[in-house]
Amino acid sequence: MKQTNLEAYIKALKKQYHLEKEGMYSEYLEQPSRANLRKLCVERFKSNARQEDLVTFKIFFGFDFNGESLNKLKAETDRFRAIENFIIGKTETNDLKSLNLIAILLDFNPRPFQKFAKQDHSQVTVLNNTNLEDTSDEVVPSSAAITYRKSKKTRNITIIVLAILSLFTAGYTAKDLIYPNKECMQWQINHYQLIDCTTESNNTKYDAPIIPIDKYNAELNKIKVTESTTFFKNGKAVVWYCKMNPKELEYFDQAGFHPISNKPLKPITKYMINKYIKKKPTK
């Protein structure tokens, strides 16, 4: 099975970790606790003037890296929990904000993901990887990188033929024919938009990450509700909500996770309808 650009990126980061924990920052990576990862983050950025890395930092933490941000960073130690779990292999993550920061902590190149995805993966090597005997996890060229070198006509024919064959051999859906190059999605105000994984973010209202397509969550829609909305069918909720602040709820048409905060959506209840949706009688 061919791996996607994102799968190749994740695999390369995992290999890079095993190399870096033997390097000059081994004291932080041998035991990659949240506190140690925070300290490593400071060390990596002390002399880092790469604009892309500074942007990655701001996207992840919400503030710029400078001398005044060190105290703020201490308060954000728990933000490294997901990174710790990824590095030690406890959990996986497809969150590009986290993966791009991990790439900086491990000094992996090329980074961030958008730059990595544009490379011919047959030429991408993990730093200091020349003497490794185990090549089972080598980053292989993606289908996009291979077909890019073909003529436009040949490439289009190849995509169509492979997509049709896939329907019968790998159980793909019609989505693969309609969006042959779109393997990711991004939240756009009230729905997910299918996009190419290498697309630069064009979301101006939300800091929405570009993530791999999830066929279930891709159908999630934010909706508006009123007192006349049908909230239940056969006794079961058909509207889900997420509490944004003490006075505001956001509503969705299926179960899942909030596309920005990643909080689990909850099924609507009569109590929440009475509290937040029904108009209060005027006195």
Side-chain angles (χ1 to χ4, degrees):
M1 179 181 295
K2 293 179 180 178
Q3 61 184 350
T4 65
N5 290 331
L6 187 61
E7 288 170 339
Y9 193 51
I10 292 172
K11 187 175 290 187
L13 290 177
K14 290 180 177 180
K15 176 171 277 189
Q16 181 71 7
Y17 165 66
H18 291 290
L19 296 170
E20 279 297 304
K21 74 176 182 178
E22 304 292 333
M24 64 182 296
Y25 291 114
S26 59
E27 61 182 293
Y28 300 121
L29 292 171
E30 279 289 347
Q31 295 181 323
S33 64
R34 276 159 271 171
N36 278 339
L37 291 172
R38 186 198 73 229
K39 294 174 184 177
L40 176 59
C41 185
V42 173
E43 292 298 321
R44 291 295 195 192
F45 278 91
K46 273 183 178 179
S47 58
N48 189 345
R50 288 177 56 167
Q51 186 60 34
E52 291 171 324
D53 289 353
L54 295 174
V55 170
T56 294
F57 182 96
K58 185 171 184 178
I59 289 175
F60 187 88
F61 292 104
F63 53 85
D64 293 316
F65 181 86
N66 52 50
E68 299 177 356
S69 65
L70 297 183
N71 287 333
K72 290 184 181 179
L73 198 58
K74 288 183 179 180
E76 298 290 335
T77 301
D78 200 57
R79 293 288 301 278
F80 290 93
R81 181 193 299 271
I83 294 176
E84 174 190 359
N85 290 339
F86 174 88
I87 287 178
I88 65 178
K90 185 177 181 180
T91 60
E92 297 288 340
T93 181
N94 291 328
D95 179 20
L96 286 179
K97 291 188 294 185
S98 297
L99 292 173
N100 286 335
L101 187 66
I102 291 170
I104 296 171
L105 297 180
L106 300 179
D107 199 24
F108 173 79
N109 283 291
R111 65 177 187 261
F113 172 75
Q114 286 82 355
K115 181 178 290 187
F116 174 90
K118 293 177 182 178
Q119 300 291 317
D120 180 347
H121 293 165
S122 62
Q123 302 301 319
V124 174
T125 56
V126 181
L127 296 179
N128 304 320
N129 194 29
T130 54
N131 295 322
L132 287 180
E133 295 181 359
D134 179 13
T135 60
S136 61
D137 289 335
E138 282 184 340
V139 178
V140 300
S142 67
S143 58
I146 295 173
T147 58
Y148 181 79
R149 294 189 290 270
K150 300 180 180 179
S151 68
K152 182 177 180 180
K153 181 178 180 180
T154 303
R155 183 169 68 251
N156 290 340
I157 293 174
T158 300
I159 291 174
I160 293 173
V161 171
L162 290 177
I164 293 174
L165 290 175
S166 296
L167 289 173
F168 300 98
T169 60
Y172 284 84
T173 66
K175 174 187 72 63
D176 300 285
L177 288 174
I178 300 172
Y179 304 104
N181 294 319
K182 297 182 178 180
E183 300 175 342
C184 288
M185 62 185 188
Q186 184 185 43
W187 186 254
Q188 299 288 337
I189 300 183
N190 59 8
H191 69 286
Y192 277 109
Q193 180 73 37
L194 299 183
I195 60 175
D196 191 293
C197 294
T198 62
T199 302
E200 294 291 336
S201 176
N202 60 355
N203 190 305
T204 56
K205 185 171 182 178
Y206 295 110
D207 181 18
I210 297 174
I211 60 176
I213 289 178
D214 182 323
K215 294 181 181 179
Y216 178 75
N217 285 322
E219 299 177 358
L220 181 71
N221 293 285
K222 182 180 175 182
I223 59 175
K224 294 182 178 180
V225 302
T226 66
E227 289 186 83
S228 60
T229 298
T230 299
F231 293 100
F232 304 96
K233 288 185 178 180
N234 299 322
K236 295 184 178 180
V238 293
V239 173
W240 283 258
Y241 73 92
C242 183
K243 196 170 185 179
M244 306 307 295
N245 58 57
K247 296 183 179 180
E248 180 186 9
L249 301 183
E250 288 188 356
Y251 305 94
F252 298 85
D253 61 356
Q254 67 176 45
F257 295 87
H258 191 278
I260 306 301
S261 68
N262 206 36
K263 294 180 180 179
L265 303 180
K266 298 180 180 180
I268 199 71
T269 63
K270 292 182 178 179
Y271 172 81
M272 300 304 286
I273 294 172
N274 291 331
K275 183 174 181 180
Y276 289 94
I277 301 170
K278 285 194 174 181
K279 295 180 180 179
K280 305 298 181 183
T282 56
K283 295 183 180 180

